[in-house]
Coordinates of all heavy atoms in Angstrom, one line a residue:
V3 N 14.7 -17.5 -35.4 CA 15.0 -16.2 -36.0 C 16.2 -16.3 -36.9 O 17.2 -16.9 -36.5 CB 15.2 -15.1 -35.0 CG1 15.6 -13.8 -35.6 CG2 13.9 -15.0 -34.1
V4 N 16.1 -15.8 -38.1 CA 17.3 -15.7 -39.0 C 17.5 -14.3 -39.3 O 16.6 -13.6 -39.8 CB 17.0 -16.6 -40.3 CG1 18.2 -16.5 -41.2 CG2 16.7 -18.0 -39.9
V5 N 18.8 -13.8 -39.2 CA 19.2 -12.5 -39.5 C 20.3 -12.6 -40.6 O 21.3 -13.3 -40.3 CB 19.7 -11.7 -38.3 CG1 20.2 -10.3 -38.7 CG2 18.6 -11.6 -37.3
R6 N 20.1 -11.9 -41.7 CA 21.1 -11.9 -42.7 C 21.6 -10.5 -42.8 O 20.8 -9.6 -43.1 CB 20.6 -12.4 -44.0 CG 21.6 -12.4 -45.1 CD 21.1 -13.1 -46.4 NE 21.0 -14.6 -46.1 CZ 19.9 -15.3 -46.3 NH1 18.8 -14.7 -46.8 NH2 19.8 -16.5 -46.0
T7 N 22.9 -10.2 -42.6 CA 23.5 -8.9 -42.7 C 23.7 -8.5 -44.2 O 23.6 -9.3 -45.1 CB 24.8 -8.8 -42.0 OG1 25.8 -9.6 -42.8 CG2 24.7 -9.3 -40.6
R8 N 23.9 -7.3 -44.4 CA 24.1 -6.8 -45.8 C 25.4 -7.3 -46.4 O 25.6 -7.3 -47.6 CB 24.1 -5.3 -45.9 CG 25.2 -4.6 -45.2 CD 25.2 -3.1 -45.4 NE 25.2 -2.5 -44.1 CZ 25.3 -1.2 -43.9 NH1 25.2 -0.4 -45.0 NH2 25.3 -0.7 -42.7
Y9 N 26.3 -7.9 -45.6 CA 27.5 -8.5 -46.0 C 27.4 -9.9 -46.3 O 28.3 -10.6 -46.6 CB 28.6 -8.2 -45.0 CG 28.8 -6.7 -44.7 CD1 28.4 -6.2 -43.5 CD2 29.3 -5.9 -45.7 CE1 28.6 -4.8 -43.2 CE2 29.5 -4.5 -45.4 CZ 29.1 -4.0 -44.2 OH 29.2 -2.7 -44.0
G10 N 26.2 -10.5 -46.1 CA 25.9 -11.9 -46.4 C 26.1 -12.8 -45.2 O 25.8 -14.0 -45.4
T11 N 26.5 -12.3 -44.1 CA 26.6 -13.2 -42.9 C 25.2 -13.5 -42.4 O 24.3 -12.6 -42.3 CB 27.4 -12.5 -41.8 OG1 28.6 -12.1 -42.3 CG2 27.6 -13.4 -40.6
T12 N 25.0 -14.8 -42.1 CA 23.7 -15.2 -41.5 C 23.8 -15.7 -40.1 O 24.7 -16.4 -39.8 CB 23.1 -16.3 -42.4 OG1 23.0 -15.9 -43.7 CG2 21.7 -16.8 -41.9
Y13 N 22.9 -15.2 -39.3 CA 22.9 -15.6 -37.9 C 21.6 -16.3 -37.6 O 20.5 -15.7 -38.0 CB 23.0 -14.4 -36.9 CG 24.3 -13.7 -37.1 CD1 24.4 -12.5 -37.9 CD2 25.5 -14.1 -36.4 CE1 25.6 -11.9 -38.1 CE2 26.7 -13.4 -36.5 CZ 26.7 -12.3 -37.4 OH 27.9 -11.6 -37.5
K14 N 21.6 -17.4 -37.0 CA 20.3 -18.2 -36.7 C 20.3 -18.4 -35.2 O 21.3 -18.8 -34.6 CB 20.3 -19.5 -37.4 CG 20.2 -19.4 -38.9 CD 20.2 -20.8 -39.6 CE 20.2 -20.6 -41.1 NZ 20.1 -22.0 -41.7
K15 N 19.1 -18.3 -34.7 CA 18.9 -18.6 -33.3 C 17.5 -19.3 -33.1 O 16.5 -18.8 -33.6 CB 18.9 -17.4 -32.4 CG 18.6 -17.6 -30.9 CD 19.8 -18.3 -30.3 CE 19.5 -18.3 -28.8 NZ 20.5 -19.0 -28.0
T16 N 17.5 -20.4 -32.5 CA 16.2 -21.1 -32.2 C 16.0 -21.2 -30.7 O 16.9 -21.6 -30.0 CB 16.3 -22.6 -32.8 OG1 16.5 -22.5 -34.2 CG2 15.0 -23.3 -32.5
V17 N 14.8 -20.7 -30.3 CA 14.5 -20.7 -28.9 C 13.4 -21.8 -28.7 O 12.3 -21.7 -29.2 CB 13.9 -19.4 -28.4 CG1 13.5 -19.4 -27.0 CG2 15.0 -18.3 -28.7
M18 N 13.9 -22.9 -28.0 CA 13.0 -24.0 -27.9 C 11.8 -23.7 -26.9 O 10.7 -24.2 -27.0 CB 13.8 -25.3 -27.4 CG 14.8 -25.7 -28.4 SD 14.2 -26.0 -30.1 CE 13.1 -27.4 -29.7
N19 N 12.1 -23.0 -25.8 CA 11.1 -22.7 -24.8 C 11.1 -21.2 -24.6 O 11.7 -20.6 -23.7 CB 11.5 -23.4 -23.5 CG 11.5 -24.9 -23.7 OD1 10.6 -25.5 -24.2 ND2 12.6 -25.5 -23.2
P20 N 10.3 -20.5 -25.5 CA 10.3 -19.0 -25.4 C 9.7 -18.6 -24.0 O 8.9 -19.3 -23.4 CB 9.5 -18.6 -26.6 CG 8.6 -19.8 -26.9 CD 9.4 -21.0 -26.5
R21 N 10.0 -17.4 -23.6 CA 9.5 -16.8 -22.4 C 8.0 -16.7 -22.5 O 7.4 -16.3 -23.5 CB 10.0 -15.3 -22.3 CG 9.9 -14.8 -20.9 CD 11.0 -15.3 -20.1 NE 10.9 -14.8 -18.8 CZ 10.6 -15.5 -17.7 NH1 10.5 -16.8 -17.8 NH2 10.5 -14.9 -16.5
G22 N 7.3 -17.2 -21.5 CA 5.9 -17.3 -21.4 C 5.3 -18.6 -21.8 O 4.1 -18.9 -21.6
S23 N 6.1 -19.6 -22.2 CA 5.7 -20.9 -22.6 C 5.5 -21.7 -21.3 O 5.9 -21.3 -20.2 CB 6.6 -21.6 -23.5 OG 7.8 -21.9 -22.9
L24 N 4.9 -22.9 -21.4 CA 4.7 -23.7 -20.2 C 6.0 -24.1 -19.6 O 6.2 -24.2 -18.4 CB 3.9 -25.0 -20.6 CG 2.4 -24.7 -20.9 CD1 1.7 -26.0 -21.3 CD2 1.7 -24.2 -19.6
E25 N 7.0 -24.3 -20.5 CA 8.3 -24.7 -20.0 C 9.2 -23.6 -19.4 O 10.1 -23.8 -18.8 CB 9.1 -25.4 -21.2 CG 8.5 -26.7 -21.7 CD 7.4 -26.4 -22.7 OE1 7.1 -25.3 -23.1 OE2 6.7 -27.4 -23.0
N26 N 8.8 -22.4 -19.8 CA 9.5 -21.2 -19.3 C 8.6 -20.1 -18.9 O 8.5 -19.0 -19.6 CB 10.5 -20.7 -20.5 CG 11.5 -19.7 -20.0 OD1 11.6 -19.4 -18.8 ND2 12.1 -19.1 -21.0
P27 N 7.8 -20.3 -17.9 CA 6.7 -19.4 -17.6 C 7.2 -18.0 -17.0 O 8.3 -18.0 -16.5 CB 5.9 -20.1 -16.5 CG 6.9 -21.1 -15.9 CD 7.9 -21.4 -17.0
V28 N 6.4 -17.0 -17.1 CA 6.7 -15.8 -16.4 C 6.0 -15.8 -15.1 O 4.9 -16.4 -14.9 CB 6.2 -14.6 -17.3 CG1 7.0 -14.4 -18.5 CG2 4.8 -14.6 -17.6
S29 N 6.5 -15.1 -14.1 CA 6.0 -15.0 -12.8 C 4.9 -14.0 -12.7 O 4.8 -13.1 -13.5 CB 7.0 -14.7 -11.8 OG 7.4 -13.3 -11.9
P30 N 4.0 -14.1 -11.7 CA 3.0 -13.0 -11.6 C 3.6 -11.7 -11.4 O 3.1 -10.7 -11.9 CB 2.2 -13.5 -10.3 CG 2.4 -15.0 -10.3 CD 3.8 -15.2 -10.8
A31 N 4.7 -11.6 -10.7 CA 5.4 -10.3 -10.5 C 5.8 -9.7 -11.9 O 5.7 -8.5 -12.1 CB 6.6 -10.4 -9.6
E32 N 6.3 -10.6 -12.8 CA 6.8 -10.1 -14.1 C 5.6 -9.6 -14.9 O 5.6 -8.6 -15.6 CB 7.5 -11.2 -14.9 CG 8.9 -11.5 -14.3 CD 9.5 -12.7 -14.9 OE1 8.8 -13.8 -14.8 OE2 10.6 -12.6 -15.4
I33 N 4.5 -10.3 -14.8 CA 3.2 -9.9 -15.5 C 2.7 -8.6 -15.0 O 2.4 -7.7 -15.7 CB 2.1 -11.0 -15.4 CG1 2.6 -12.3 -16.1 CG2 0.8 -10.5 -15.9 CD1 1.7 -13.5 -15.9
T34 N 2.8 -8.4 -13.7 CA 2.3 -7.2 -13.0 C 3.2 -6.0 -13.5 O 2.7 -5.0 -13.8 CB 2.3 -7.3 -11.5 OG1 1.4 -8.4 -11.1 CG2 1.9 -6.1 -10.8
E35 N 4.5 -6.2 -13.5 CA 5.4 -5.2 -14.0 C 5.1 -4.8 -15.4 O 5.2 -3.6 -15.7 CB 6.9 -5.6 -13.8 CG 7.4 -5.5 -12.4 CD 7.2 -4.0 -11.8 OE1 7.6 -3.1 -12.5 OE2 6.7 -3.9 -10.7
K36 N 4.9 -5.7 -16.3 CA 4.6 -5.4 -17.7 C 3.3 -4.7 -17.8 O 3.2 -3.7 -18.5 CB 4.6 -6.7 -18.5 CG 4.3 -6.4 -20.0 CD 4.4 -7.7 -20.8 CE 4.2 -7.4 -22.3 NZ 4.3 -8.6 -23.1
F37 N 2.3 -5.1 -17.0 CA 1.0 -4.4 -17.0 C 1.2 -3.0 -16.6 O 0.7 -2.1 -17.2 CB 0.1 -5.2 -16.1 CG -1.3 -4.5 -15.9 CD1 -2.2 -4.6 -17.0 CD2 -1.6 -3.8 -14.8 CE1 -3.5 -4.0 -16.8 CE2 -2.8 -3.2 -14.7 CZ -3.7 -3.3 -15.7
K38 N 1.9 -2.8 -15.5 CA 2.2 -1.4 -15.0 C 2.8 -0.5 -16.0 O 2.5 0.6 -16.2 CB 3.0 -1.4 -13.7 CG 2.3 -1.9 -12.5 CD 3.3 -1.9 -11.3 CE 2.6 -2.4 -10.1 NZ 3.6 -2.4 -8.9
H39 N 3.8 -1.1 -16.7 CA 4.6 -0.3 -17.7 C 3.6 0.1 -18.9 O 3.7 1.2 -19.3 CB 5.7 -1.2 -18.3 CG 6.4 -0.6 -19.4 ND1 7.3 0.5 -19.3 CD2 6.4 -0.9 -20.7 CE1 7.7 0.8 -20.5 NE2 7.2 0.0 -21.4
L40 N 2.7 -0.8 -19.3 CA 1.9 -0.5 -20.4 C 0.7 0.4 -20.0 O 0.2 1.1 -20.8 CB 1.3 -1.9 -21.0 CG 2.4 -2.8 -21.6 CD1 1.8 -4.1 -22.0 CD2 3.0 -2.1 -22.9
I41 N 0.2 0.3 -18.8 CA -1.0 1.0 -18.4 C -0.7 2.3 -17.8 O -1.6 3.2 -17.7 CB -1.9 0.1 -17.5 CG1 -3.4 0.5 -17.6 CG2 -1.5 0.2 -16.1 CD1 -4.0 0.2 -18.8
S42 N 0.5 2.5 -17.3 CA 0.8 3.8 -16.6 C 0.6 5.1 -17.4 O 0.2 6.1 -16.7 CB 2.3 3.7 -16.0 OG 3.2 3.7 -17.1
P43 N 0.7 5.1 -18.7 CA 0.4 6.3 -19.4 C -1.1 6.6 -19.4 O -1.5 7.8 -19.7 CB 0.9 6.1 -20.8 CG 1.8 5.0 -20.7 CD 1.4 4.1 -19.6
V44 N -1.9 5.7 -19.1 CA -3.4 5.8 -19.2 C -4.1 5.9 -17.8 O -5.0 6.7 -17.7 CB -4.0 4.6 -20.0 CG1 -5.5 4.8 -20.2 CG2 -3.3 4.5 -21.3
L45 N -3.6 5.2 -16.8 CA -4.3 5.1 -15.6 C -3.4 5.5 -14.4 O -2.2 5.4 -14.5 CB -4.8 3.7 -15.3 CG -5.8 3.1 -16.2 CD1 -6.2 1.7 -15.8 CD2 -7.1 4.0 -16.3
S46 N -4.0 6.0 -13.4 CA -3.3 6.4 -12.1 C -2.8 5.1 -11.5 O -3.3 4.0 -11.7 CB -4.2 7.1 -11.2 OG -5.2 6.3 -10.7
A47 N -1.9 5.2 -10.5 CA -1.4 4.1 -9.8 C -2.5 3.4 -9.0 O -2.6 2.2 -8.9 CB -0.3 4.5 -8.8
E48 N -3.4 4.2 -8.5 CA -4.6 3.6 -7.8 C -5.5 2.8 -8.7 O -5.8 1.6 -8.3 CB -5.4 4.8 -7.2 CG -6.6 4.3 -6.4 CD -7.4 5.5 -5.8 OE1 -6.8 6.5 -5.4 OE2 -8.6 5.3 -5.8
M49 N -5.8 3.3 -9.9 CA -6.6 2.5 -10.8 C -5.9 1.2 -11.3 O -6.4 0.2 -11.4 CB -7.0 3.3 -12.0 CG -8.1 4.4 -11.7 SD -9.6 3.6 -11.1 CE -10.0 2.5 -12.5
E50 N -4.6 1.4 -11.6 CA -3.8 0.3 -12.0 C -3.8 -0.8 -10.9 O -3.9 -2.0 -11.2 CB -2.3 0.7 -12.3 CG -1.4 -0.4 -12.6 CD -0.7 -0.9 -11.3 OE1 -0.3 -0.1 -10.5 OE2 -0.7 -2.2 -11.2
S51 N -3.6 -0.4 -9.7 CA -3.6 -1.4 -8.6 C -4.9 -2.1 -8.5 O -5.0 -3.4 -8.3 CB -3.2 -0.7 -7.3 OG -3.2 -1.6 -6.3
A52 N -6.0 -1.4 -8.6 CA -7.3 -2.0 -8.5 C -7.6 -3.0 -9.6 O -8.0 -4.1 -9.4 CB -8.4 -0.9 -8.5
L53 N -7.2 -2.6 -10.8 CA -7.5 -3.5 -12.0 C -6.5 -4.7 -11.9 O -7.0 -5.8 -12.2 CB -7.2 -2.7 -13.3 CG -7.5 -3.4 -14.6 CD1 -8.9 -3.9 -14.6 CD2 -7.3 -2.5 -15.7
S54 N -5.3 -4.5 -11.7 CA -4.3 -5.6 -11.6 C -4.7 -6.6 -10.5 O -4.6 -7.8 -10.7 CB -2.9 -5.2 -11.5 OG -2.6 -4.6 -10.3
G55 N -5.1 -6.1 -9.4 CA -5.5 -7.0 -8.3 C -6.7 -7.9 -8.7 O -6.7 -9.1 -8.4
R56 N -7.7 -7.3 -9.3 CA -8.8 -8.1 -9.8 C -8.4 -9.1 -10.8 O -8.9 -10.3 -10.7 CB -9.9 -7.1 -10.4 CG -10.6 -6.3 -9.3 CD -11.7 -5.5 -10.0 NE -12.4 -4.6 -9.1 CZ -13.5 -4.0 -9.3 NH1 -14.1 -4.1 -10.5 NH2 -14.0 -3.2 -8.4
V57 N -7.6 -8.7 -11.7 CA -7.2 -9.7 -12.8 C -6.4 -10.8 -12.2 O -6.6 -12.0 -12.5 CB -6.5 -9.0 -13.9 CG1 -5.9 -9.9 -14.9 CG2 -7.5 -8.0 -14.7
L58 N -5.5 -10.5 -11.4 CA -4.6 -11.5 -10.8 C -5.4 -12.5 -9.9 O -5.0 -13.6 -9.7 CB -3.4 -10.9 -10.0 CG -2.4 -10.3 -10.9 CD1 -1.4 -9.5 -10.0 CD2 -1.7 -11.3 -11.7
A59 N -6.5 -12.1 -9.3 CA -7.3 -12.9 -8.4 C -8.4 -13.7 -9.2 O -9.2 -14.4 -8.6 CB -7.9 -12.1 -7.3
M60 N -8.4 -13.5 -10.5 CA -9.5 -14.0 -11.3 C -9.6 -15.6 -11.2 O -10.7 -16.1 -11.2 CB -9.3 -13.6 -12.8 CG -10.5 -13.9 -13.7 SD -10.4 -13.1 -15.3 CE -8.7 -13.3 -15.8
D61 N -8.5 -16.2 -11.1 CA -8.5 -17.7 -11.0 C -9.2 -18.2 -9.7 O -9.5 -19.4 -9.6 CB -7.1 -18.3 -11.2 CG -6.2 -17.9 -10.1 OD1 -6.4 -16.9 -9.5 OD2 -5.2 -18.7 -9.9
E62 N -9.4 -17.3 -8.8 CA -10.0 -17.7 -7.5 C -11.5 -17.5 -7.5 O -12.2 -17.9 -6.6 CB -9.4 -16.9 -6.4 CG -7.9 -17.1 -6.2 CD -7.3 -16.1 -5.2 OE1 -8.0 -15.4 -4.5 OE2 -6.1 -16.1 -5.2
L63 N -12.0 -16.9 -8.6 CA -13.5 -16.6 -8.7 C -14.2 -17.8 -9.2 O -13.7 -18.6 -10.1 CB -13.7 -15.4 -9.6 CG -13.1 -14.1 -9.3 CD1 -13.3 -13.1 -10.4 CD2 -13.6 -13.6 -8.0
T64 N -15.4 -18.0 -8.7 CA -16.3 -19.1 -9.3 C -17.1 -18.5 -10.4 O -17.7 -19.2 -11.2 CB -17.2 -19.6 -8.2 OG1 -18.0 -18.6 -7.6 CG2 -16.4 -20.4 -7.1
N65 N -17.3 -17.2 -10.5 CA -18.1 -16.5 -11.5 C -17.4 -15.2 -11.8 O -17.2 -14.4 -10.8 CB -19.5 -16.3 -10.9 CG -20.4 -15.7 -12.0 OD1 -20.1 -15.0 -12.8 ND2 -21.7 -16.1 -11.8
I66 N -17.2 -14.9 -13.0 CA -16.5 -13.6 -13.3 C -17.5 -12.4 -13.5 O -17.0 -11.3 -13.8 CB -15.6 -13.7 -14.6 CG1 -16.4 -14.0 -15.8 CG2 -14.5 -14.7 -14.3 CD1 -15.5 -13.9 -17.1
N67 N -18.8 -12.7 -13.4 CA -19.7 -11.6 -13.4 C -19.3 -10.5 -12.4 O -19.0 -10.8 -11.3 CB -21.1 -12.0 -13.1 CG -21.7 -12.9 -14.3 OD1 -21.2 -12.8 -15.4 ND2 -22.7 -13.7 -14.0
G68 N -19.2 -9.3 -12.8 CA -18.9 -8.2 -11.9 C -17.4 -8.0 -11.8 O -17.0 -7.1 -11.0
L69 N -16.6 -8.8 -12.5 CA -15.1 -8.6 -12.4 C -14.7 -7.2 -12.7 O -13.9 -6.6 -12.0 CB -14.4 -9.6 -13.4 CG -12.9 -9.5 -13.4 CD1 -12.3 -10.0 -12.1 CD2 -12.4 -10.4 -14.5
F70 N -15.3 -6.6 -13.7 CA -14.9 -5.2 -14.1 C -16.0 -4.2 -13.7 O -15.9 -3.1 -14.2 CB -14.6 -5.2 -15.6 CG -13.5 -6.1 -16.0 CD1 -13.7 -7.3 -16.6 CD2 -12.2 -5.7 -15.6 CE1 -12.6 -8.1 -16.9 CE2 -11.1 -6.5 -15.9 CZ -11.3 -7.7 -16.6
T71 N -16.9 -4.6 -12.9 CA -18.0 -3.6 -12.5 C -17.4 -2.4 -11.9 O -16.5 -2.4 -11.0 CB -18.9 -4.3 -11.4 OG1 -19.5 -5.4 -12.0 CG2 -20.0 -3.3 -11.0
G72 N -17.8 -1.2 -12.4 CA -17.3 0.1 -11.9 C -16.0 0.5 -12.5 O -15.7 1.7 -12.5
L73 N -15.3 -0.4 -13.1 CA -14.0 0.0 -13.6 C -14.1 0.7 -15.0 O -13.3 1.6 -15.2 CB -13.1 -1.3 -13.8 CG -12.5 -1.8 -12.5 CD1 -11.7 -3.1 -12.8 CD2 -11.6 -0.8 -11.8
S74 N -15.0 0.3 -15.8 CA -15.2 1.0 -17.1 C -15.3 2.5 -16.9 O -14.7 3.3 -17.6 CB -16.3 0.4 -17.9 OG -16.5 1.0 -19.1
E75 N -16.3 2.9 -16.1 CA -16.5 4.3 -15.9 C -15.3 5.0 -15.2 O -14.9 6.1 -15.6 CB -17.8 4.5 -15.0 CG -19.1 4.0 -15.6 CD -19.3 2.5 -15.4 OE1 -18.5 1.9 -14.6 OE2 -20.1 2.0 -16.2
S76 N -14.7 4.3 -14.3 CA -13.5 4.9 -13.6 C -12.4 5.1 -14.6 O -11.6 6.0 -14.6 CB -13.1 4.0 -12.5 OG -14.1 4.0 -11.5
I77 N -12.2 4.1 -15.5 CA -11.1 4.2 -16.5 C -11.3 5.3 -17.5 O -10.4 6.1 -17.8 CB -10.9 2.8 -17.2 CG1 -10.4 1.8 -16.2 CG2 -10.1 3.0 -18.4 CD1 -10.4 0.4 -16.8
Q78 N -12.6 5.4 -17.9 CA -12.9 6.5 -18.8 C -12.7 7.9 -18.2 O -12.1 8.8 -18.7 CB -14.4 6.4 -19.3 CG -14.6 5.3 -20.3 CD -16.0 5.1 -20.7 OE1 -16.9 5.7 -20.1 NE2 -16.3 4.2 -21.6
T79 N -13.1 8.0 -16.9 CA -12.9 9.3 -16.2 C -11.4 9.5 -16.0 O -10.9 10.6 -16.2 CB -13.6 9.2 -14.8 OG1 -15.0 9.0 -15.0 CG2 -13.3 10.5 -14.0
E80 N -10.6 8.5 -15.6 CA -9.2 8.6 -15.4 C -8.5 9.0 -16.7 O -7.6 9.8 -16.7 CB -8.7 7.3 -14.8 CG -7.2 7.4 -14.4 CD -7.0 8.2 -13.1 OE1 -7.9 8.4 -12.4 OE2 -5.8 8.7 -13.0
S81 N -8.9 8.3 -17.7 CA -8.2 8.6 -19.0 C -8.5 10.0 -19.5 O -7.6 10.7 -20.0 CB -8.8 7.6 -20.1 OG -8.2 7.8 -21.3
S82 N -9.7 10.5 -19.3 CA -10.0 11.9 -19.7 C -9.2 12.9 -18.8 O -8.8 13.9 -19.3 CB -11.5 12.1 -19.5 OG -12.3 11.3 -20.3
R83 N -9.0 12.6 -17.6 CA -8.3 13.4 -16.7 C -6.8 13.5 -17.1 O -6.2 14.6 -17.0 CB -8.4 12.9 -15.2 CG -7.7 13.8 -14.2 CD -7.7 13.2 -12.8 NE -6.8 12.0 -12.7 CZ -5.5 12.1 -12.6 NH1 -4.9 13.2 -12.7 NH2 -4.8 11.0 -12.5
L84 N -6.2 12.4 -17.6 CA -4.8 12.4 -17.9 C -4.5 13.0 -19.3 O -3.4 13.3 -19.6 CB -4.3 11.0 -17.9 CG -4.2 10.3 -16.5 CD1 -3.8 8.9 -16.6 CD2 -3.3 11.1 -15.6
Q85 N -5.6 13.2 -20.1 CA -5.3 13.8 -21.4 C -5.1 15.3 -21.4 O -5.5 16.0 -20.6 CB -6.5 13.5 -22.4 CG -6.5 12.0 -22.7 CD -7.7 11.6 -23.6 OE1 -8.6 12.4 -23.9 NE2 -7.7 10.4 -24.0

């Protein structure tokens, strides 16, 4: 990143291992917190918990068919309720 001020001063910063890279991974807890922050205006805590639980357990599935079964209708209902 390069920032040049209106006075002509230049600041440079290079991040070799940005947050989320293989060398600097984010934890499941951090991902969950970000998800909660982004989804909370749209879904209830109950829906958020159900959805995040399914997504976090996705790597344990042998088949993702049905991963979101029932959630689409619930999310639409929840979203309509919150509006």
Side-chain angles (χ1 to χ4, degrees):
V3 173
V4 178
V5 176
R6 182 170 291 127
T7 69
R8 67 175 127 176
Y9 304 109
T11 306
T12 301
Y13 299 94
K14 294 180 183 181
K15 176 71 175 181
T16 300
V17 178
M18 298 305 294
N19 299 310
R21 196 81 179 115
S23 67
L24 289 175
E25 296 81 10
N26 190 11
V28 293
S29 70
E32 291 170 304
I33 293 170
T34 300
E35 280 304 310
K36 182 174 183 178
F37 177 77
K38 286 180 182 182
H39 174 74
L40 295 172
I41 205 71
S42 63
V44 181
L45 297 180
S46 67
E48 181 181 324
M49 285 299 302
E50 172 273 315
S51 180
L53 184 56
S54 66
R56 288 184 184 192
V57 171
L58 287 172
M60 192 166 41
D61 63 336
E62 299 169 12
L63 300 175
T64 57
N65 185 329
I66 63 167
N67 289 340
L69 179 66
F70 298 106
T71 301
L73 286 176
S74 177
E75 297 80 15
S76 298
I77 289 171
Q78 288 175 353
T79 301
E80 187 70 24
S81 180
S82 296
R83 185 186 67 77
L84 293 174
Q85 290 179 353

